Amino acid sequence: MRFDELHPLIRTRWSPRALDPDGKVSEEALHRLVEAARWAPSYGNTQPARFLVGPRGTDTFDRILALLVQGNQNWARNAGALLVACAETENEKGEVPYAEYGVGLAAQNLVLQAVAEGLVAHQMAGFDGPGVAAEFGLPPSIRPLTAIAVGVLGSPELLPEEKRARETAPRQRVPASEIAFTGQWGEPFGVDG
């Protein structure tokens, strides 16, 4: 299989930092992104994904932005919206199994919907999780996992010079022969494209 044979949503998904400061993400688009996340599969239909949603120009956006590490604040301030994906780790039956996995699936649905909307999304681990919990009054069962910047793709010239090369570098992935095996571990499944 070759990369160019993949669905366009997957082929065109990437995680840019160069976001157009004038780009808009409508409230309707944000609702569709959350709806896409809501329909992700989850273990036992536990649906553990929860999101803080901050459209640009709102207090929520500013509070999420302030909790990103400085390097992410520098470019994420141009996003049309900032979100924090969280896991509901407990329900009426006790601990929610595979909650992180469920949030990952929901976040991927959200990101692919963003691509379908003509937007881009960049997920970040560089944020203050305990700070998010305190700032937004999260219950103890809710754990912040990742921040997500959603926006309109901008020019790499918007980034500091040291970030431009990374922004425009070809995307790299581990060869398929190193991630998919058959028969026994280490015996590659398929052929790299």
mmCIF file of all heavy atoms in Angstrom, residues 159-188:
data_model
loop_
_atom_site.group_PDB
_atom_site.id
_atom_site.type_symbol
_atom_site.label_atom_id
_atom_site.label_comp_id
_atom_site.label_asym_id
_atom_site.label_seq_id
_atom_site.Cartn_x
_atom_site.Cartn_y
_atom_site.Cartn_z
ATOM 1 N N LEU A 159 5.900 31.852 11.800
ATOM 2 C CA LEU A 159 6.661 31.228 12.879
ATOM 3 C C LEU A 159 8.054 31.828 12.994
ATOM 4 O O LEU A 159 8.605 32.329 12.009
ATOM 5 C CB LEU A 159 6.787 29.725 12.617
ATOM 6 C CG LEU A 159 5.486 28.935 12.582
ATOM 7 C CD1 LEU A 159 5.753 27.516 12.104
ATOM 8 C CD2 LEU A 159 4.816 28.937 13.943
ATOM 9 N N PRO A 160 8.650 31.722 14.181
ATOM 10 C CA PRO A 160 10.057 32.123 14.305
ATOM 11 C C PRO A 160 10.917 31.284 13.364
ATOM 12 O O PRO A 160 10.581 30.129 13.060
ATOM 13 C CB PRO A 160 10.393 31.809 15.764
ATOM 14 C CG PRO A 160 9.091 31.670 16.457
ATOM 15 C CD PRO A 160 8.088 31.250 15.428
ATOM 16 N N GLU A 161 11.995 31.854 12.920
ATOM 17 C CA GLU A 161 12.847 31.195 11.918
ATOM 18 C C GLU A 161 13.234 29.779 12.315
ATOM 19 O O GLU A 161 13.229 28.864 11.480
ATOM 20 C CB GLU A 161 14.103 32.029 11.670
ATOM 21 C CG GLU A 161 14.909 31.543 10.494
ATOM 22 C CD GLU A 161 16.041 32.494 10.142
ATOM 23 O OE1 GLU A 161 15.964 33.685 10.463
ATOM 24 O OE2 GLU A 161 17.000 32.005 9.534
ATOM 25 N N GLU A 162 13.545 29.560 13.604
ATOM 26 C CA GLU A 162 13.986 28.233 14.045
ATOM 27 C C GLU A 162 12.874 27.184 13.964
ATOM 28 O O GLU A 162 13.137 25.990 13.980
ATOM 29 C CB GLU A 162 14.565 28.280 15.463
ATOM 30 C CG GLU A 162 13.572 28.594 16.565
ATOM 31 C CD GLU A 162 13.343 30.079 16.815
ATOM 32 O OE1 GLU A 162 13.848 30.936 16.051
ATOM 33 O OE2 GLU A 162 12.628 30.391 17.786
ATOM 34 N N LYS A 163 11.615 27.587 13.857
ATOM 35 C CA LYS A 163 10.490 26.646 13.758
ATOM 36 C C LYS A 163 10.060 26.384 12.312
ATOM 37 O O LYS A 163 9.350 25.427 12.033
ATOM 38 C CB LYS A 163 9.273 27.178 14.522
ATOM 39 C CG LYS A 163 9.496 27.404 15.987
ATOM 40 C CD LYS A 163 9.305 26.143 16.744
ATOM 41 C CE LYS A 163 9.327 26.447 18.240
ATOM 42 N NZ LYS A 163 9.690 25.310 19.014
ATOM 43 N N ARG A 164 10.490 27.223 11.382
ATOM 44 C CA ARG A 164 10.024 27.105 9.997
ATOM 45 C C ARG A 164 10.480 25.822 9.324
ATOM 46 O O ARG A 164 9.711 25.193 8.593
ATOM 47 C CB ARG A 164 10.491 28.301 9.175
ATOM 48 C CG ARG A 164 9.773 29.565 9.543
ATOM 49 C CD ARG A 164 10.222 30.723 8.693
ATOM 50 N NE ARG A 164 9.955 31.953 9.433
ATOM 51 C CZ ARG A 164 10.627 33.056 9.305
ATOM 52 N NH1 ARG A 164 11.635 33.124 8.435
ATOM 53 N NH2 ARG A 164 10.321 34.107 10.021
ATOM 54 N N ALA A 165 11.711 25.412 9.548
ATOM 55 C CA ALA A 165 12.227 24.210 8.897
ATOM 56 C C ALA A 165 11.410 22.983 9.308
ATOM 57 O O ALA A 165 11.070 22.146 8.471
ATOM 58 C CB ALA A 165 13.699 24.006 9.236
ATOM 59 N N ARG A 166 11.087 22.906 10.582
ATOM 60 C CA ARG A 166 10.279 21.775 11.066
ATOM 61 C C ARG A 166 8.883 21.809 10.446
ATOM 62 O O ARG A 166 8.307 20.767 10.136
ATOM 63 C CB ARG A 166 10.205 21.831 12.588
ATOM 64 C CG ARG A 166 9.532 20.652 13.198
ATOM 65 C CD ARG A 166 9.659 20.694 14.699
ATOM 66 N NE ARG A 166 8.931 19.594 15.299
ATOM 67 C CZ ARG A 166 8.757 19.454 16.577
ATOM 68 N NH1 ARG A 166 9.273 20.323 17.414
ATOM 69 N NH2 ARG A 166 8.073 18.445 17.055
ATOM 70 N N GLU A 167 8.348 22.993 10.277
ATOM 71 C CA GLU A 167 7.000 23.147 9.726
ATOM 72 C C GLU A 167 6.919 22.692 8.272
ATOM 73 O O GLU A 167 5.901 22.180 7.832
ATOM 74 C CB GLU A 167 6.581 24.626 9.834
ATOM 75 C CG GLU A 167 5.145 24.876 9.517
ATOM 76 C CD GLU A 167 4.183 24.516 10.646
ATOM 77 O OE1 GLU A 167 4.615 24.018 11.692
ATOM 78 O OE2 GLU A 167 2.982 24.725 10.455
ATOM 79 N N THR A 168 7.993 22.906 7.519
ATOM 80 C CA THR A 168 7.972 22.609 6.089
ATOM 81 C C THR A 168 8.690 21.307 5.726
ATOM 82 O O THR A 168 8.720 20.928 4.554
ATOM 83 C CB THR A 168 8.603 23.773 5.294
ATOM 84 O OG1 THR A 168 9.951 23.973 5.757
ATOM 85 C CG2 THR A 168 7.804 25.057 5.486
ATOM 86 N N ALA A 169 9.238 20.617 6.724
ATOM 87 C CA ALA A 169 9.943 19.355 6.463
ATOM 88 C C ALA A 169 8.953 18.280 6.022
ATOM 89 O O ALA A 169 7.790 18.292 6.427
ATOM 90 C CB ALA A 169 10.679 18.899 7.715
ATOM 91 N N PRO A 170 9.403 17.342 5.190
ATOM 92 C CA PRO A 170 8.527 16.237 4.793
ATOM 93 C C PRO A 170 8.102 15.433 6.019
ATOM 94 O O PRO A 170 8.877 15.279 6.969
ATOM 95 C CB PRO A 170 9.409 15.382 3.875
ATOM 96 C CG PRO A 170 10.542 16.250 3.482
ATOM 97 C CD PRO A 170 10.724 17.266 4.575
ATOM 98 N N ARG A 171 6.877 14.942 5.983
ATOM 99 C CA ARG A 171 6.381 14.109 7.081
ATOM 100 C C ARG A 171 7.105 12.773 7.058
ATOM 101 O O ARG A 171 7.327 12.199 5.992
ATOM 102 C CB ARG A 171 4.885 13.907 6.946
ATOM 103 C CG ARG A 171 4.106 15.194 7.155
ATOM 104 C CD ARG A 171 2.664 15.076 6.750
ATOM 105 N NE ARG A 171 1.948 14.085 7.536
ATOM 106 C CZ ARG A 171 0.762 13.605 7.218
ATOM 107 N NH1 ARG A 171 0.143 14.012 6.134
ATOM 108 N NH2 ARG A 171 0.162 12.722 7.982
ATOM 109 N N GLN A 172 7.447 12.266 8.217
ATOM 110 C CA GLN A 172 8.164 10.995 8.337
ATOM 111 C C GLN A 172 7.355 10.031 9.187
ATOM 112 O O GLN A 172 6.739 10.429 10.162
ATOM 113 C CB GLN A 172 9.528 11.217 8.996
ATOM 114 C CG GLN A 172 10.453 12.133 8.228
ATOM 115 C CD GLN A 172 10.936 11.497 6.945
ATOM 116 O OE1 GLN A 172 11.211 10.304 6.893
ATOM 117 N NE2 GLN A 172 11.032 12.274 5.887
ATOM 118 N N ARG A 173 7.379 8.771 8.826
ATOM 119 C CA ARG A 173 6.741 7.728 9.605
ATOM 120 C C ARG A 173 7.652 6.504 9.635
ATOM 121 O O ARG A 173 8.419 6.256 8.703
ATOM 122 C CB ARG A 173 5.377 7.324 9.008
ATOM 123 C CG ARG A 173 4.301 8.372 9.171
ATOM 124 C CD ARG A 173 3.965 8.551 10.643
ATOM 125 N NE ARG A 173 2.884 9.470 10.901
ATOM 126 C CZ ARG A 173 3.035 10.753 11.214
ATOM 127 N NH1 ARG A 173 4.227 11.295 11.251
ATOM 128 N NH2 ARG A 173 1.994 11.503 11.483
ATOM 129 N N VAL A 174 7.545 5.722 10.702
ATOM 130 C CA VAL A 174 8.247 4.453 10.805
ATOM 131 C C VAL A 174 7.709 3.550 9.698
ATOM 132 O O VAL A 174 6.496 3.551 9.434
ATOM 133 C CB VAL A 174 7.985 3.832 12.200
ATOM 134 C CG1 VAL A 174 8.558 2.435 12.299
ATOM 135 C CG2 VAL A 174 8.542 4.729 13.293
ATOM 136 N N PRO A 175 8.563 2.793 9.029
ATOM 137 C CA PRO A 175 8.081 1.917 7.961
ATOM 138 C C PRO A 175 7.050 0.910 8.478
ATOM 139 O O PRO A 175 7.136 0.448 9.621
ATOM 140 C CB PRO A 175 9.346 1.190 7.483
ATOM 141 C CG PRO A 175 10.492 2.000 7.979
ATOM 142 C CD PRO A 175 10.014 2.711 9.207
ATOM 143 N N ALA A 176 6.107 0.551 7.625
ATOM 144 C CA ALA A 176 5.074 -0.422 7.987
ATOM 145 C C ALA A 176 5.689 -1.745 8.430
ATOM 146 O O ALA A 176 5.151 -2.421 9.310
ATOM 147 C CB ALA A 176 4.119 -0.636 6.821
ATOM 148 N N SER A 177 6.829 -2.088 7.857
ATOM 149 C CA SER A 177 7.489 -3.350 8.217
ATOM 150 C C SER A 177 7.960 -3.369 9.670
ATOM 151 O O SER A 177 8.259 -4.425 10.213
ATOM 152 C CB SER A 177 8.678 -3.606 7.293
ATOM 153 O OG SER A 177 9.638 -2.565 7.420
ATOM 154 N N GLU A 178 8.002 -2.210 10.312
ATOM 155 C CA GLU A 178 8.429 -2.123 11.707
ATOM 156 C C GLU A 178 7.262 -1.984 12.676
ATOM 157 O O GLU A 178 7.480 -1.945 13.896
ATOM 158 C CB GLU A 178 9.395 -0.949 11.888
ATOM 159 C CG GLU A 178 10.702 -1.142 11.160
ATOM 160 C CD GLU A 178 11.657 0.026 11.351
ATOM 161 O OE1 GLU A 178 11.530 0.755 12.363
ATOM 162 O OE2 GLU A 178 12.523 0.222 10.487
ATOM 163 N N ILE A 179 6.027 -1.906 12.156
ATOM 164 C CA ILE A 179 4.895 -1.742 13.073
ATOM 165 C C ILE A 179 3.829 -2.825 12.940
ATOM 166 O O ILE A 179 2.996 -2.967 13.825
ATOM 167 C CB ILE A 179 4.223 -0.358 12.936
ATOM 168 C CG1 ILE A 179 3.502 -0.214 11.586
ATOM 169 C CG2 ILE A 179 5.216 0.767 13.151
ATOM 170 C CD1 ILE A 179 2.518 0.936 11.550
ATOM 171 N N ALA A 180 3.846 -3.584 11.855
ATOM 172 C CA ALA A 180 2.821 -4.608 11.641
ATOM 173 C C ALA A 180 3.502 -5.940 11.339
ATOM 174 O O ALA A 180 4.303 -6.041 10.416
ATOM 175 C CB ALA A 180 1.900 -4.207 10.495
ATOM 176 N N PHE A 181 3.149 -6.953 12.163
ATOM 177 C CA PHE A 181 3.804 -8.245 12.059
ATOM 178 C C PHE A 181 2.771 -9.348 11.862
ATOM 179 O O PHE A 181 1.599 -9.196 12.202
ATOM 180 C CB PHE A 181 4.629 -8.528 13.315
ATOM 181 C CG PHE A 181 5.562 -7.394 13.656
ATOM 182 C CD1 PHE A 181 5.360 -6.638 14.802
ATOM 183 C CD2 PHE A 181 6.615 -7.056 12.819
ATOM 184 C CE1 PHE A 181 6.209 -5.591 15.117
ATOM 185 C CE2 PHE A 181 7.471 -6.010 13.124
ATOM 186 C CZ PHE A 181 7.269 -5.267 14.279
ATOM 187 N N THR A 182 3.237 -10.467 11.316
ATOM 188 C CA THR A 182 2.372 -11.634 11.128
ATOM 189 C C THR A 182 3.184 -12.888 11.416
ATOM 190 O O THR A 182 4.413 -12.880 11.284
ATOM 191 C CB THR A 182 1.782 -11.665 9.698
ATOM 192 O OG1 THR A 182 0.787 -12.664 9.625
ATOM 193 C CG2 THR A 182 2.839 -11.891 8.640
ATOM 194 N N GLY A 183 2.514 -13.947 11.813
ATOM 195 C CA GLY A 183 3.212 -15.197 12.112
ATOM 196 C C GLY A 183 3.856 -15.164 13.476
ATOM 197 O O GLY A 183 3.488 -15.906 14.360
ATOM 198 N N GLN A 184 4.819 -14.269 13.644
ATOM 199 C CA GLN A 184 5.460 -14.050 14.935
ATOM 200 C C GLN A 184 6.014 -12.636 14.964
ATOM 201 O O GLN A 184 6.169 -11.995 13.927
ATOM 202 C CB GLN A 184 6.560 -15.073 15.202
ATOM 203 C CG GLN A 184 7.739 -14.985 14.251
ATOM 204 C CD GLN A 184 8.766 -16.065 14.546
ATOM 205 O OE1 GLN A 184 8.453 -17.099 15.116
ATOM 206 N NE2 GLN A 184 9.994 -15.824 14.159
ATOM 207 N N TRP A 185 6.286 -12.173 16.158
ATOM 208 C CA TRP A 185 6.782 -10.817 16.331
ATOM 209 C C TRP A 185 8.056 -10.630 15.510
ATOM 210 O O TRP A 185 8.955 -11.462 15.536
ATOM 211 C CB TRP A 185 7.078 -10.524 17.804
ATOM 212 C CG TRP A 185 7.300 -9.075 18.054
ATOM 213 C CD1 TRP A 185 8.502 -8.444 18.187
ATOM 214 C CD2 TRP A 185 6.306 -8.066 18.160
ATOM 215 N NE1 TRP A 185 8.321 -7.098 18.368
ATOM 216 C CE2 TRP A 185 6.972 -6.842 18.361
ATOM 217 C CE3 TRP A 185 4.922 -8.063 18.092
ATOM 218 C CZ2 TRP A 185 6.299 -5.640 18.504
ATOM 219 C CZ3 TRP A 185 4.253 -6.870 18.249
ATOM 220 C CH2 TRP A 185 4.948 -5.676 18.461
ATOM 221 N N GLY A 186 8.089 -9.530 14.766
ATOM 222 C CA GLY A 186 9.259 -9.208 13.962
ATOM 223 C C GLY A 186 9.169 -9.654 12.516
ATOM 224 O O GLY A 186 9.980 -9.251 11.690
ATOM 225 N N GLU A 187 8.187 -10.499 12.192
ATOM 226 C CA GLU A 187 7.983 -10.925 10.808
ATOM 227 C C GLU A 187 7.009 -9.939 10.167
ATOM 228 O O GLU A 187 5.821 -9.916 10.485
ATOM 229 C CB GLU A 187 7.403 -12.337 10.752
ATOM 230 C CG GLU A 187 7.344 -12.901 9.349
ATOM 231 C CD GLU A 187 6.865 -14.350 9.346
ATOM 232 O OE1 GLU A 187 7.250 -15.117 10.241
ATOM 233 O OE2 GLU A 187 6.080 -14.679 8.449
ATOM 234 N N PRO A 188 7.512 -9.069 9.276
ATOM 235 C CA PRO A 188 6.672 -7.983 8.741
ATOM 236 C C PRO A 188 5.423 -8.473 8.017
ATOM 237 O O PRO A 188 5.445 -9.480 7.312
ATOM 238 C CB PRO A 188 7.599 -7.261 7.752
ATOM 239 C CG PRO A 188 8.972 -7.632 8.162
ATOM 240 C CD PRO A 188 8.867 -9.027 8.728
#
